[in-house]
Each structure stands twice: as C-alpha cells, then as structure tokens.
Amino acid sequence: MCGIVGYIGNKNATEILTQGLKRLEYRGYDSAGVAVFDGKEIQTVKAKGRLKNLKDELLKTPVTGNLGIGHTRWATHGAPCAKNSHPHTSQDGKIAVVHNGIIENYEQLRAMLENKGYTFKSETDTEVIPHLVELYYDGDIFCAVKKAVSHLSGSYALGIICENEPDKLVAVRKESPLIIGVGDGENFIASDIPAILSETENVYFLNDGEIAVITKDTVDIFGKDGEPVIKKPEKVTFSENAAQKDGYEHFMLKEIYEQPRAVADTLRGRLADGMPVKFDDFDSKLISKFRKIYIVACGTAYHAGLVGKMAIEKLAKLPTDVELASEFRYNEPLIDSETMVIAISQSGETADTLAGVRLAKSSGAYVLAITNVLGSSISREADMTFYTYAGPEISVASTKAYTTQLVALYLFALFLAENKNSALPTEIDIVKKELLKLPVSLKKVLELEGEIKRISKKIYKETDMYYLGRGLDYAVAMEGSLKLKEISYIHSETYAGGELKHGPIALIEKDTVVIAISTNKEICAKMDSNIKEVTTRGAYTIAIVNEATAPQHTACSHMVVMPGEGSVLSPVTSAIPLQLLAYHVAYQKGEAIDKPRNLAKSVTVE
Ligand code: F6R
C-alpha cells in the first residue's frame, strides 16, 4: 500500500526521497510524487504510474532543496492519476502533506471547507488535510497539525512540511505505521524501515496519536495530550543487503531461497537439542487459564494459522479456531479472559488483523502476536509478541514469512505441550528433532527447482488449475493455490480430496491441471483414490509427494518427490515446491512477479 518518505538535513532531498520511494515500491502503488522546499517555496512534482515516470517529470522540472516529503500512492479514493497522487497542498500552496490510510469523515470535512471557500483539486480523502492545517495555521505548524488531526476520523500516517517553517518536518500517526530515522545532522520519516535503511539504523517508532516535530538536529515527540514523550531511538537489526536482490532476478526467488536461513534464525535461541522449548518471554504460568484459542489472520498468514490449529490441537489438546480477521472482527466471537487470541501478521500492520487484536483485548482475551516486523502496530498492542526472523520480505507474495510463521506455531504448540504434559515426551521429541533438521531439509527441497521449472513450462498457458490435499496437505494446498493466483493470474481453486465427489469433480475434463499434495503415509491411499478419480476423467495430475508416499501414487501424470518420509512438519517443506511452481509459471507468462497487479504488501486499510 502507499509509502511515505520524508527528509530534512543538508543533502538533496529530491534524491533521498526518490531513492526511499524506490525501496518502498514492493508495497504496491499506482502513482508517485514529491514536494520539496527549494529555498523559496514548496515545489510539487507528481506522476501517474511507476517511479520512472516521476523521475522523467523531475528531469523536465528539476527541484532541489534540503526539506521534502515523497509518496507512492495505492488508489482508494479517486482514480490513479497525477492529480490524485500525493503530496497534496493547501490552497495557498504553503503546506504540503503526504498521507497513508483513509480519512473516513472526509466528505463532511470537504463540505465544511468548501463552505469556507476552499477549492479542491483532487478526488481524494487526503486533500482535506492540507486545507484543514491551513485553516488552523497561525504561525505554528505543530499547533495547526494538532488541531487539524483532532477533526480526522479513520487512519493516518502523515508527513507535513510548511513553507513558513522550512526548518521543520512534522509527522503524526493513527493506525498507520510511521517511523523516524535518526541521522547525523539529518533526519527522516518513512512508512517502512527499508525506505531509510541505507541512511540510518536508528529509528523511533511513533505510537498512535503521537506527533513529532523534526528538525535536522532534533526529534521532539508529543503525546495526544500535547505533553512531550521521552523515548530512545531503537537500532533495527536487518541490513540494507537484506532489502536488495543479491543477484536473483526477483525478490520472490531470493526470498524462497532464504527460507533455510530464515527458519534457522527463527529457531535460534528457542529450540536446542535436549532442551525444553523457550517461547521468548511467554509466562508458562498463564497456560492453565486458557480454555480456547482463536487464531486470527489474513491471506497467507491465515493459511499458516490453519496448520497451527492442527499442530496445537494435536500436541497441546487445546480447542483452536482459525478465523479470517476480516470475518472475526464482525462475527461476535465468543471471547473472554480464558481465551487466547493469536494474531499472525508478517507486516504487523494489517488493518483487519489489528482490529481483531483490539476486539480480543477489549473482550478480556490474552493476545499473542506472531509477526515479522519489529515495533509494528500489532506487536505494540498485543500482550506478547513472538518475532519471526524472516528478515524484510519485499516480494508482495509471501514465502519466507509463511514458513517462519509455521515454525513459530510449531514452537508454540510444543511449548504448550511441554508445559501441559499433553503429549508423550517421545512424540514431542520427534517433532523437536524434525524442527532442528528443517533448515537442511529445506535446502534439499530447493534442489527440486529445475524439475519444477520444467513442469511450469508445460502448464503455464492454462487458465484454470485445481489443488487437492487432505489434512495438513489441504492447508498447504490452499497456500499453493493463493501463490499461483497472486502472481500468475491463473484461476485456481483448492479442495479437500474427499470433497471432490460432492461437486467440484464436475469441473474436471481432459487435460485439466490438478496439483495433488500427498505427504502423509497414513492417508495417502485415500489421496490416491482422489488422484485416480481425476486422472480417469482425463486430468493432468502433478503429485507433490515424499519418499514414503511416492510408491502409492503411480496413477499421476507427474510426481515431484521431496526427500524424506514426511511428518507433522510437512507443511513447511511442501510449501517450497508450490512456491517455486507459482514463481516459474508466472515467470513463463512474463508477469511482474514481485509487484502483482492490484495487490499491496501491507494492507493497512479495511
Ligand atoms: C499473500 C500475501 C497476503 C498476506 C496478507 C496478510 O502472499 O502476502 O495474503 O499474507 O495480506 O498480511 P500480513 O501477514 O502482513 O498481515
């Protein structure tokens, strides 16, 4: 979704803003713009489409200065075009604003401002903000912003500059992330860490309602009440390198290959041979009070939750429901103080998941967040956060975040089981040993890439595909299908093997592509019946199997055999061939793999 960068210092702001915006491209956008104070006045340059178009505009109308704000826009209110892109300016042109989020009461505010004689140039919700700030401006930009935001409902992260006070950059947030990067004689704001990682590792995370007044040498943060807030900058741990492609053609492929490392990092310090699982600071005394768990998440994180439910119920014997956060928040779930809610979110900023967290907390539940982003909104509001150490995930299609979420959930299931004595020590031990072997197992599965690439060349012209699985393989099949849809734009659906004959089998005809995942020796005979049901109707079946289940599946058209015999951890390994298949199919089709159409990396609106 939209990205924000802001700069104040001695360097050329335009260059820093465009570089920062480039690093935020992965979030998805359809137009971009910058506003820079050139020493006399604020100059705004915007363009529809990719950043290249903005750079072309900047070549035609160059602007330099030491203070500026920049934005990549993902259209919500008003079509993607230069006029609607940010920054937006006040009537007198002296105040410029970039905004992430949605102003829900913008229609009322717009009518009020129009009555006062303000004219609007765009169709956006954002444009009310610079006009409101102008309305309240009487020589102090901080006070004007404070008054203006008190009228806003909805969500916002704002970067604001004012021609009359060119030594200040103002930042404020509510429900949309915003950080302040601290440099030497220069400071930055950004919606996301990678935007400024090449400039500084020291950041302040703004909390909801906080306003910051930033000069090149100082950062002053104030609370909702206007009182100063004392906090220290935090050092971010991931390197700038992690946000580069490192020779891979796409971030997605790089991130697929990073999974052995990401999984090892997520396990480090939490699981060691012969030791009980350490689930960070989770207080084991709390466990006895929980009667029920809800897992709440969206998209890929929801698919991780489906696997987590099975692991928790199997090992910890605690009833667990998995809900899409967008449904959970409106479904009146039965939550009380004996409920634990696990919110899973790579970004830690997904609006629906955050709303689920708030609902859970207001109903008295204990909230555990599993997220990949330090200081994210969800991590701040949860009772405890367990961080996955996937590193920055730039590709919109999630890969390493998913597998590390799975690892987090397995660790939690084991931690509960050890503390509740709800599983046999031998059973717990087997899972722990498998977890420790995972980085090596994942490396071996990655060796299947060549074979998967060959398969992708056979199937990339398809318009529809079907994914089948049972139990854990069903959850993984859903994730495989989502990956394919997202980046190759091929329609695909997932069915539990046993459901086929209750309707979907009517869709199978000659050469229909069916991808069947079968990693569980106990039920692979059942899966094989489903494979036969579709092959006898002419389907082209690709079975993703392992050494234990392969002998059962002689009827399929093509078999991808993963090393090993499978276990409760199979979802982690079988994710890899499915990710690679989606990647290579999209590659053959020539699609924009890292930035699929209509999608955004961090979905901060409902
Ligand atoms: C799929 C994908 C999305 C996200 C979903 C939740 O590849 O990336 O489905 O999983 O938008 O995002 P987070 O995990 O950031 O809450």
PDB file of all heavy atoms in Angstrom, residues 459 464-465 467 479-492 515 578 581-583 585-586:
ATOM      1  N   ILE A 459       2.647 -26.148 -18.183  1.00  0.00           N
ATOM      2  CA  ILE A 459       1.302 -25.781 -17.718  1.00  0.00           C
ATOM      3  C   ILE A 459       1.015 -24.270 -17.707  1.00  0.00           C
ATOM      4  O   ILE A 459      -0.086 -23.868 -17.382  1.00  0.00           O
ATOM      5  CB  ILE A 459       1.028 -26.357 -16.307  1.00  0.00           C
ATOM      6  CG1 ILE A 459       2.017 -25.787 -15.262  1.00  0.00           C
ATOM      7  CG2 ILE A 459       1.083 -27.881 -16.317  1.00  0.00           C
ATOM      8  CD1 ILE A 459       1.679 -26.191 -13.831  1.00  0.00           C
ATOM      9  N   ASP A 464      -7.090 -22.384 -15.793  1.00  0.00           N
ATOM     10  CA  ASP A 464      -7.630 -22.859 -14.509  1.00  0.00           C
ATOM     11  C   ASP A 464      -6.806 -24.023 -13.996  1.00  0.00           C
ATOM     12  O   ASP A 464      -6.370 -24.852 -14.793  1.00  0.00           O
ATOM     13  CB  ASP A 464      -9.057 -23.414 -14.668  1.00  0.00           C
ATOM     14  CG  ASP A 464      -9.984 -22.419 -15.283  1.00  0.00           C
ATOM     15  OD1 ASP A 464     -10.494 -21.575 -14.546  1.00  0.00           O
ATOM     16  OD2 ASP A 464     -10.178 -22.481 -16.514  1.00  0.00           O
ATOM     17  N   MET A 465      -6.634 -24.083 -12.688  1.00  0.00           N
ATOM     18  CA  MET A 465      -5.974 -25.252 -12.087  1.00  0.00           C
ATOM     19  C   MET A 465      -6.662 -25.558 -10.763  1.00  0.00           C
ATOM     20  O   MET A 465      -7.282 -24.687 -10.160  1.00  0.00           O
ATOM     21  CB  MET A 465      -4.504 -24.963 -11.808  1.00  0.00           C
ATOM     22  CG  MET A 465      -3.673 -24.749 -13.049  1.00  0.00           C
ATOM     23  SD  MET A 465      -1.929 -24.754 -12.602  1.00  0.00           S
ATOM     24  CE  MET A 465      -1.267 -23.861 -14.000  1.00  0.00           C
ATOM     25  N   TYR A 467      -6.171 -27.507  -6.887  1.00  0.00           N
ATOM     26  CA  TYR A 467      -5.244 -28.036  -5.884  1.00  0.00           C
ATOM     27  C   TYR A 467      -6.028 -28.949  -4.950  1.00  0.00           C
ATOM     28  O   TYR A 467      -7.144 -28.594  -4.532  1.00  0.00           O
ATOM     29  CB  TYR A 467      -4.620 -26.902  -5.053  1.00  0.00           C
ATOM     30  CG  TYR A 467      -3.542 -26.122  -5.776  1.00  0.00           C
ATOM     31  CD1 TYR A 467      -3.858 -25.269  -6.828  1.00  0.00           C
ATOM     32  CD2 TYR A 467      -2.211 -26.221  -5.394  1.00  0.00           C
ATOM     33  CE1 TYR A 467      -2.865 -24.548  -7.481  1.00  0.00           C
ATOM     34  CE2 TYR A 467      -1.212 -25.500  -6.043  1.00  0.00           C
ATOM     35  CZ  TYR A 467      -1.541 -24.672  -7.078  1.00  0.00           C
ATOM     36  OH  TYR A 467      -0.563 -23.952  -7.725  1.00  0.00           O
ATOM     37  N   GLU A 479      -2.555 -22.589   0.323  1.00  0.00           N
ATOM     38  CA  GLU A 479      -1.492 -21.602   0.206  1.00  0.00           C
ATOM     39  C   GLU A 479      -0.857 -21.658  -1.192  1.00  0.00           C
ATOM     40  O   GLU A 479      -0.586 -20.627  -1.812  1.00  0.00           O
ATOM     41  CB  GLU A 479      -0.456 -21.829   1.321  1.00  0.00           C
ATOM     42  CG  GLU A 479       0.793 -20.973   1.261  1.00  0.00           C
ATOM     43  CD  GLU A 479       0.538 -19.479   1.233  1.00  0.00           C
ATOM     44  OE1 GLU A 479      -0.579 -19.025   1.481  1.00  0.00           O
ATOM     45  OE2 GLU A 479       1.498 -18.750   0.903  1.00  0.00           O
ATOM     46  N   GLY A 480      -0.663 -22.887  -1.705  1.00  0.00           N
ATOM     47  CA  GLY A 480      -0.089 -23.033  -3.052  1.00  0.00           C
ATOM     48  C   GLY A 480      -0.974 -22.382  -4.092  1.00  0.00           C
ATOM     49  O   GLY A 480      -0.501 -21.687  -5.008  1.00  0.00           O
ATOM     50  N   SER A 481      -2.264 -22.561  -3.936  1.00  0.00           N
ATOM     51  CA  SER A 481      -3.220 -22.001  -4.895  1.00  0.00           C
ATOM     52  C   SER A 481      -3.235 -20.472  -4.827  1.00  0.00           C
ATOM     53  O   SER A 481      -3.281 -19.783  -5.851  1.00  0.00           O
ATOM     54  CB  SER A 481      -4.598 -22.591  -4.576  1.00  0.00           C
ATOM     55  OG  SER A 481      -5.605 -21.871  -5.185  1.00  0.00           O
ATOM     56  N   LEU A 482      -3.159 -19.935  -3.604  1.00  0.00           N
ATOM     57  CA  LEU A 482      -3.133 -18.472  -3.455  1.00  0.00           C
ATOM     58  C   LEU A 482      -1.888 -17.891  -4.137  1.00  0.00           C
ATOM     59  O   LEU A 482      -1.968 -16.887  -4.857  1.00  0.00           O
ATOM     60  CB  LEU A 482      -3.148 -18.089  -1.967  1.00  0.00           C
ATOM     61  CG  LEU A 482      -3.039 -16.592  -1.663  1.00  0.00           C
ATOM     62  CD1 LEU A 482      -4.265 -15.833  -2.164  1.00  0.00           C
ATOM     63  CD2 LEU A 482      -2.855 -16.324  -0.178  1.00  0.00           C
ATOM     64  N   LYS A 483      -0.730 -18.565  -3.944  1.00  0.00           N
ATOM     65  CA  LYS A 483       0.509 -18.068  -4.569  1.00  0.00           C
ATOM     66  C   LYS A 483       0.339 -18.007  -6.084  1.00  0.00           C
ATOM     67  O   LYS A 483       0.714 -17.037  -6.720  1.00  0.00           O
ATOM     68  CB  LYS A 483       1.706 -18.984  -4.268  1.00  0.00           C
ATOM     69  CG  LYS A 483       2.304 -18.955  -2.904  1.00  0.00           C
ATOM     70  CD  LYS A 483       3.084 -17.713  -2.547  1.00  0.00           C
ATOM     71  CE  LYS A 483       2.204 -16.653  -1.973  1.00  0.00           C
ATOM     72  NZ  LYS A 483       1.938 -16.676  -0.575  1.00  0.00           N
ATOM     73  N   LEU A 484      -0.235 -19.086  -6.653  1.00  0.00           N
ATOM     74  CA  LEU A 484      -0.386 -19.147  -8.107  1.00  0.00           C
ATOM     75  C   LEU A 484      -1.279 -18.004  -8.600  1.00  0.00           C
ATOM     76  O   LEU A 484      -0.934 -17.289  -9.537  1.00  0.00           O
ATOM     77  CB  LEU A 484      -0.973 -20.506  -8.511  1.00  0.00           C
ATOM     78  CG  LEU A 484      -1.084 -20.699 -10.009  1.00  0.00           C
ATOM     79  CD1 LEU A 484       0.264 -21.138 -10.575  1.00  0.00           C
ATOM     80  CD2 LEU A 484      -2.146 -21.733 -10.371  1.00  0.00           C
ATOM     81  N   LYS A 485      -2.432 -17.836  -7.940  1.00  0.00           N
ATOM     82  CA  LYS A 485      -3.366 -16.771  -8.335  1.00  0.00           C
ATOM     83  C   LYS A 485      -2.694 -15.407  -8.300  1.00  0.00           C
ATOM     84  O   LYS A 485      -2.810 -14.612  -9.219  1.00  0.00           O
ATOM     85  CB  LYS A 485      -4.519 -16.692  -7.321  1.00  0.00           C
ATOM     86  CG  LYS A 485      -5.643 -17.623  -7.557  1.00  0.00           C
ATOM     87  CD  LYS A 485      -6.730 -17.357  -6.530  1.00  0.00           C
ATOM     88  CE  LYS A 485      -6.722 -18.459  -5.551  1.00  0.00           C
ATOM     89  NZ  LYS A 485      -7.806 -18.958  -4.893  1.00  0.00           N
ATOM     90  N   GLU A 486      -2.030 -15.140  -7.180  1.00  0.00           N
ATOM     91  CA  GLU A 486      -1.479 -13.807  -6.950  1.00  0.00           C
ATOM     92  C   GLU A 486      -0.512 -13.361  -8.032  1.00  0.00           C
ATOM     93  O   GLU A 486      -0.568 -12.226  -8.472  1.00  0.00           O
ATOM     94  CB  GLU A 486      -0.687 -13.784  -5.629  1.00  0.00           C
ATOM     95  CG  GLU A 486      -1.498 -13.712  -4.390  1.00  0.00           C
ATOM     96  CD  GLU A 486      -0.579 -13.666  -3.176  1.00  0.00           C
ATOM     97  OE1 GLU A 486       0.124 -14.659  -2.933  1.00  0.00           O
ATOM     98  OE2 GLU A 486      -0.558 -12.653  -2.494  1.00  0.00           O
ATOM     99  N   ILE A 487       0.380 -14.266  -8.438  1.00  0.00           N
ATOM    100  CA  ILE A 487       1.449 -13.774  -9.314  1.00  0.00           C
ATOM    101  C   ILE A 487       1.325 -14.228 -10.763  1.00  0.00           C
ATOM    102  O   ILE A 487       1.926 -13.631 -11.637  1.00  0.00           O
ATOM    103  CB  ILE A 487       2.849 -14.128  -8.766  1.00  0.00           C
ATOM    104  CG1 ILE A 487       3.011 -15.630  -8.590  1.00  0.00           C
ATOM    105  CG2 ILE A 487       3.125 -13.404  -7.465  1.00  0.00           C
ATOM    106  CD1 ILE A 487       4.452 -16.028  -8.312  1.00  0.00           C
ATOM    107  N   SER A 488       0.526 -15.299 -11.019  1.00  0.00           N
ATOM    108  CA  SER A 488       0.425 -15.738 -12.423  1.00  0.00           C
ATOM    109  C   SER A 488      -0.929 -15.340 -13.014  1.00  0.00           C
ATOM    110  O   SER A 488      -1.150 -15.442 -14.206  1.00  0.00           O
ATOM    111  CB  SER A 488       0.579 -17.254 -12.523  1.00  0.00           C
ATOM    112  OG  SER A 488      -0.603 -17.873 -12.048  1.00  0.00           O
ATOM    113  N   TYR A 489      -1.864 -14.919 -12.141  1.00  0.00           N
ATOM    114  CA  TYR A 489      -3.229 -14.536 -12.529  1.00  0.00           C
ATOM    115  C   TYR A 489      -4.005 -15.715 -13.128  1.00  0.00           C
ATOM    116  O   TYR A 489      -4.974 -15.509 -13.867  1.00  0.00           O
ATOM    117  CB  TYR A 489      -3.237 -13.334 -13.489  1.00  0.00           C
ATOM    118  CG  TYR A 489      -2.314 -12.198 -13.077  1.00  0.00           C
ATOM    119  CD1 TYR A 489      -1.563 -11.506 -14.025  1.00  0.00           C
ATOM    120  CD2 TYR A 489      -2.195 -11.818 -11.746  1.00  0.00           C
ATOM    121  CE1 TYR A 489      -0.712 -10.480 -13.647  1.00  0.00           C
ATOM    122  CE2 TYR A 489      -1.356 -10.793 -11.358  1.00  0.00           C
ATOM    123  CZ  TYR A 489      -0.610 -10.126 -12.309  1.00  0.00           C
ATOM    124  OH  TYR A 489       0.229  -9.118 -11.939  1.00  0.00           O
ATOM    125  N   ILE A 490      -3.558 -16.931 -12.850  1.00  0.00           N
ATOM    126  CA  ILE A 490      -4.310 -18.112 -13.298  1.00  0.00           C
ATOM    127  C   ILE A 490      -5.351 -18.439 -12.230  1.00  0.00           C
ATOM    128  O   ILE A 490      -5.025 -18.494 -11.035  1.00  0.00           O
ATOM    129  CB  ILE A 490      -3.367 -19.326 -13.513  1.00  0.00           C
ATOM    130  CG1 ILE A 490      -2.420 -19.035 -14.680  1.00  0.00           C
ATOM    131  CG2 ILE A 490      -4.166 -20.603 -13.766  1.00  0.00           C
ATOM    132  CD1 ILE A 490      -1.364 -20.108 -14.903  1.00  0.00           C
ATOM    133  N   HIS A 491      -6.568 -18.659 -12.681  1.00  0.00           N
ATOM    134  CA  HIS A 491      -7.619 -19.002 -11.727  1.00  0.00           C
ATOM    135  C   HIS A 491      -7.314 -20.371 -11.124  1.00  0.00           C
ATOM    136  O   HIS A 491      -7.001 -21.318 -11.847  1.00  0.00           O
ATOM    137  CB  HIS A 491      -8.979 -19.027 -12.440  1.00  0.00           C
ATOM    138  CG  HIS A 491     -10.028 -19.745 -11.644  1.00  0.00           C
ATOM    139  ND1 HIS A 491     -10.566 -20.936 -12.036  1.00  0.00           N
ATOM    140  CD2 HIS A 491     -10.586 -19.444 -10.449  1.00  0.00           C
ATOM    141  CE1 HIS A 491     -11.423 -21.342 -11.124  1.00  0.00           C
ATOM    142  NE2 HIS A 491     -11.461 -20.453 -10.160  1.00  0.00           N
ATOM    143  N   SER A 492      -7.390 -20.475  -9.806  1.00  0.00           N
ATOM    144  CA  SER A 492      -7.196 -21.803  -9.220  1.00  0.00           C
ATOM    145  C   SER A 492      -8.037 -21.927  -7.962  1.00  0.00           C
ATOM    146  O   SER A 492      -8.355 -20.931  -7.304  1.00  0.00           O
ATOM    147  CB  SER A 492      -5.722 -22.053  -8.919  1.00  0.00           C
ATOM    148  OG  SER A 492      -5.364 -21.420  -7.732  1.00  0.00           O
ATOM    149  N   ILE A 515      -3.184 -30.306  -9.086  1.00  0.00           N
ATOM    150  CA  ILE A 515      -1.961 -30.453  -8.285  1.00  0.00           C
ATOM    151  C   ILE A 515      -2.366 -31.078  -6.951  1.00  0.00           C
ATOM    152  O   ILE A 515      -3.155 -30.489  -6.203  1.00  0.00           O
ATOM    153  CB  ILE A 515      -1.281 -29.089  -8.103  1.00  0.00           C
ATOM    154  CG1 ILE A 515      -0.827 -28.606  -9.483  1.00  0.00           C
ATOM    155  CG2 ILE A 515      -0.081 -29.183  -7.163  1.00  0.00           C
ATOM    156  CD1 ILE A 515      -0.765 -27.158  -9.650  1.00  0.00           C
ATOM    157  N   LEU A 578       5.535 -25.667  -4.079  1.00  0.00           N
ATOM    158  CA  LEU A 578       4.365 -24.897  -4.519  1.00  0.00           C
ATOM    159  C   LEU A 578       4.728 -23.436  -4.782  1.00  0.00           C
ATOM    160  O   LEU A 578       4.241 -22.820  -5.735  1.00  0.00           O
ATOM    161  CB  LEU A 578       3.243 -25.008  -3.477  1.00  0.00           C
ATOM    162  CG  LEU A 578       2.734 -26.440  -3.272  1.00  0.00           C
ATOM    163  CD1 LEU A 578       1.715 -26.493  -2.153  1.00  0.00           C
ATOM    164  CD2 LEU A 578       2.126 -26.999  -4.545  1.00  0.00           C
ATOM    165  N   LEU A 581       6.623 -23.455  -8.027  1.00  0.00           N
ATOM    166  CA  LEU A 581       5.737 -23.669  -9.180  1.00  0.00           C
ATOM    167  C   LEU A 581       5.041 -22.351  -9.554  1.00  0.00           C
ATOM    168  O   LEU A 581       5.004 -21.961 -10.725  1.00  0.00           O
ATOM    169  CB  LEU A 581       4.703 -24.751  -8.848  1.00  0.00           C
ATOM    170  CG  LEU A 581       3.858 -25.192 -10.040  1.00  0.00           C
ATOM    171  CD1 LEU A 581       4.696 -25.991 -11.041  1.00  0.00           C
ATOM    172  CD2 LEU A 581       2.668 -26.040  -9.591  1.00  0.00           C
ATOM    173  N   ALA A 582       4.502 -21.671  -8.540  1.00  0.00           N
ATOM    174  CA  ALA A 582       3.834 -20.391  -8.811  1.00  0.00           C
ATOM    175  C   ALA A 582       4.832 -19.426  -9.455  1.00  0.00           C
ATOM    176  O   ALA A 582       4.525 -18.751 -10.453  1.00  0.00           O
ATOM    177  CB  ALA A 582       3.292 -19.805  -7.515  1.00  0.00           C
ATOM    178  N   TYR A 583       6.046 -19.381  -8.901  1.00  0.00           N
ATOM    179  CA  TYR A 583       7.061 -18.460  -9.418  1.00  0.00           C
ATOM    180  C   TYR A 583       7.359 -18.757 -10.886  1.00  0.00           C
ATOM    181  O   TYR A 583       7.349 -17.852 -11.727  1.00  0.00           O
ATOM    182  CB  TYR A 583       8.348 -18.568  -8.577  1.00  0.00           C
ATOM    183  CG  TYR A 583       9.478 -17.743  -9.157  1.00  0.00           C
ATOM    184  CD1 TYR A 583       9.573 -16.384  -8.877  1.00  0.00           C
ATOM    185  CD2 TYR A 583      10.414 -18.315 -10.015  1.00  0.00           C
ATOM    186  CE1 TYR A 583      10.579 -15.617  -9.423  1.00  0.00           C
ATOM    187  CE2 TYR A 583      11.431 -17.546 -10.572  1.00  0.00           C
ATOM    188  CZ  TYR A 583      11.510 -16.196 -10.277  1.00  0.00           C
ATOM    189  OH  TYR A 583      12.498 -15.425 -10.833  1.00  0.00           O
ATOM    190  N   VAL A 585       5.688 -20.522 -13.145  1.00  0.00           N
ATOM    191  CA  VAL A 585       4.545 -20.341 -14.048  1.00  0.00           C
ATOM    192  C   VAL A 585       4.411 -18.842 -14.377  1.00  0.00           C
ATOM    193  O   VAL A 585       4.277 -18.442 -15.536  1.00  0.00           O
ATOM    194  CB  VAL A 585       3.250 -20.916 -13.422  1.00  0.00           C
ATOM    195  CG1 VAL A 585       2.028 -20.448 -14.190  1.00  0.00           C
ATOM    196  CG2 VAL A 585       3.311 -22.440 -13.392  1.00  0.00           C
ATOM    197  N   ALA A 586       4.493 -18.003 -13.333  1.00  0.00           N
ATOM    198  CA  ALA A 586       4.393 -16.550 -13.557  1.00  0.00           C
ATOM    199  C   ALA A 586       5.559 -16.060 -14.413  1.00  0.00           C
ATOM    200  O   ALA A 586       5.403 -15.189 -15.272  1.00  0.00           O
ATOM    201  CB  ALA A 586       4.379 -15.825 -12.214  1.00  0.00           C
TER     202      ALA A 586
END
